[in-house]
Amino acid sequence: MRLRALLISMTLCGGAVAQDYQPAFDPSRLKGPAAGPASEIMVLGSPHLSQLPKTFQPSSLSLLNDRLAGWKPQAIAVEERSGPQCDFMHRYVERYREAIDSYCWDTAPARAATGLDVPQATAEAEKLLAAWPAAPSSAQRRRLAAVFLAGGESTSAMVQWLRLPAAERHAGDGLDEVLVARLHRLEVRPGESVMIAAQLAARLGHDRVHAMDDQTAGRPYTDRKAAGEAIMKAWDNPANKQREEQDKVLKQELGSAEGVLALYRAYNSPAHVAATFEIDFGAAMNEPSPQRFGRNYVGYWETRNLRMAANIRDVVGVTPGTRLLVIVGASHKGYLEAYLHQMHDVRLVDTAQVLR
């Protein structure tokens, strides 16, 4: 009996130690470098513009884009899948079929026009950028746009397209009529990738944007219907109802630039970040299904954000001291800031100071 009691006591103590343990090593307290500029990252939480009501007009982004341009980012990253990631997912199509259908575009037309597959186009784009002249010709810009399209980097292709004089936005140098038609469609499609990221990159003299999203996390649910019902039930909570009422008020003003700026201020506030956890991930984590569907979902979400943070960190790791703007769905903002804050050579910039 004494041995049994001792074992039970050790088990309980072990659980308490595991629960209470805090690592002594905290990377966020060990910031550097001792000399030279730190890498600055500002995470802009955004609504998905394609889901806003019809009262929203692209011209209403003018004040927001002016504020962001005034911060003078040296690079821009956006919530998109890179060409190499989509190429990877195509190799495991049974696992990633849904993500491929939702997030990856068919590069076959660009391959037909350029003769380059995704790995070849990715290498060619890096080669071209490494020797990129200070004043490239229109032919060079059209060629790089075509190469970006072949590499699955359509937003970077849009940057080159937007930097062309209007009269030079035509087929040639690897861009055939099919690819030109795609660029025209992208130019008017509602979405933060083009309306904010590509427009800002072109305005600031950048030659590309960085795709930093990741869609390789998680596994398909064994019972999708039951999982969906469990998570939707978790989302049916008072905090979510309060958010819906707040959004109704904010979205009434989307016809003006001031109204859009007010929406972005709200979506990037600490209160919005905290409420997002309460509404979504905190609620899902504690939903009571025996299959633990909500915890599957939270595991996917945390893994995805960790991989996104790694992609973002890689951008400033390659070019230390860079001022990087990250444009991402607002639900990601809190997670990305928390993860990026752990990085030694990263200083986070308060979005509120830029949007005020």
Side-chain angles (χ1 to χ4, degrees), residues 111-273:
R111 181 174 182 175
T114 64
L116 301 171
D117 63 16
V118 172
Q120 291 168 335
T122 301
E124 179 67 9
E126 295 298 330
K127 179 181 175 182
L128 290 172
L129 288 170
W132 200 239
S137 67
S138 294
Q140 287 174 304
R141 289 204 185 279
R142 285 191 293 269
R143 169 63 178 168
L144 183 53
V147 171
F148 275 137
L149 288 172
E153 304 285 345
S154 57
T155 305
S156 288
M158 274 304 307
V159 175
Q160 291 301 318
W161 185 251
L162 292 171
R163 294 198 67 183
L164 284 166
E168 295 292 341
R169 295 177 191 173
H170 56 70
D173 308 293
L175 286 178
D176 62 11
E177 296 295 343
V178 173
L179 298 184
V180 168
R182 174 171 176 80
L183 289 168
H184 282 307
R185 289 194 299 273
L186 285 171
E187 196 169 356
V188 298
R189 188 175 71 179
E192 51 273 25
S193 293
V194 172
M195 291 183 175
I196 302 177
Q199 291 285 352
L200 273 174
R203 175 177 176 175
L204 295 167
H206 300 181
D207 286 307
R208 69 179 305 169
V209 297
H210 299 272
M212 58 78 182
D213 195 9
D214 185 283
Q215 289 291 340
T216 62
R219 301 290 190 280
Y221 289 108
T222 53
D223 187 339
R224 293 193 59 170
K225 183 175 183 294
E229 290 173 352
I231 293 169
M232 290 296 290
K233 185 176 180 181
W235 288 344
D236 184 11
N237 57 63
N240 207 349
K241 291 179 172 60
Q242 184 178 4
R243 167 71 60 79
E244 289 172 358
E245 292 302 314
Q246 292 169 344
D247 276 356
K248 284 180 185 177
V249 174
L250 288 167
K251 290 177 180 178
Q252 287 174 356
E253 304 298 327
L254 291 182
S256 70
E258 293 82 1
V260 169
L261 187 59
L263 179 72
Y264 273 86
R265 286 170 177 157
Y267 273 37
N268 284 273
S269 68
H272 193 278
V273 170

